[in-house]
Amino acid sequence: MNDLKEATGNTPEQKLIGEVSQEQIDKWKSTAGVQGVSGIIVGGHICYVKKPDRTVVSYALSQMSFVMIQGDSPNDPGKLEMSMGKLQKQGEAVLNNCWLGGSEKIKTDTSLWTGACLKAGELIEYKEATLKNF
């Protein structure tokens, strides 16, 4: 609960809108297919999502695109651009497919939804890989 206080400025007595008990979180964790539970806090509200599985990760990553702009000279490496809309779509895929509970207002208030989507995209985890040719 200390992490929650630090993240929101709320004291333990002040509950976030949509906050559930530890018993409910434990119940979700014991459900088949739920490999972890995360809370997304936005504007005094909280929602809970399960860790995305491969299907959700695949769909979320399909919403991503990058644009590589080549530099004008050998000393200018260029840049990589990504649309914020694409980041929102990635997080939206997580929220829509992994939602467990919490404040329903997050689903209906555009600013709460946008903030939650941008944060939910961070739940897509991966390990750095290398390629080795033989």
Side-chain angles (χ1 to χ4, degrees):
M1 200 67 155
N2 263 351
D3 292 338
L4 188 62
K5 180 180 185 277
E6 290 173 17
T8 64
N10 290 3
T11 65
E13 297 83 35
Q14 294 175 305
K15 290 186 79 164
L16 294 163
I17 299 167
E19 189 173 343
V20 301
S21 67
Q22 185 60 50
E23 290 79 22
Q24 177 60 56
I25 294 168
D26 293 341
K27 185 176 177 181
W28 284 327
K29 286 181 176 180
S30 68
T31 304
V34 176
Q35 297 177 7
V37 175
S38 296
I40 300 172
I41 301 165
V42 56
H45 295 255
I46 187 168
C47 68
Y48 300 88
V49 293
K50 65 182 180 175
K51 182 177 180 179
D53 62 19
R54 285 184 184 183
T55 303
V56 174
V57 170
S58 177
Y59 177 72
L61 291 178
S62 75
Q63 303 303 302
M64 300 296 293
S65 66
F66 297 93
V67 175
M68 179 68 102
I69 300 172
Q70 190 171 6
D72 294 333
S73 69
N75 294 333
D76 180 6
K79 60 184 175 178
L80 183 64
E81 292 183 352
M82 188 169 85
S83 162
M84 288 298 285
K86 296 293 186 177
L87 281 175
Q88 181 178 353
K89 282 293 196 188
Q90 180 181 1
E92 194 170 79
V94 172
L95 284 182
N96 283 331
N97 292 285
C98 300
W99 184 278
L100 294 170
S103 174
E104 291 293 318
K105 188 166 183 184
I106 292 173
K107 292 181 178 180
T108 60
D109 182 290
T110 301
S111 63
L112 295 174
W113 179 253
T114 301
C117 285
L118 292 173
K119 188 53 70 177
E122 295 178 21
L123 292 171
I124 304 293
E125 298 175 337
Y126 63 92
K127 301 283 186 197
E128 187 66 35
T130 59
L131 180 62
K132 184 172 182 176
N133 293 319
F134 295 96

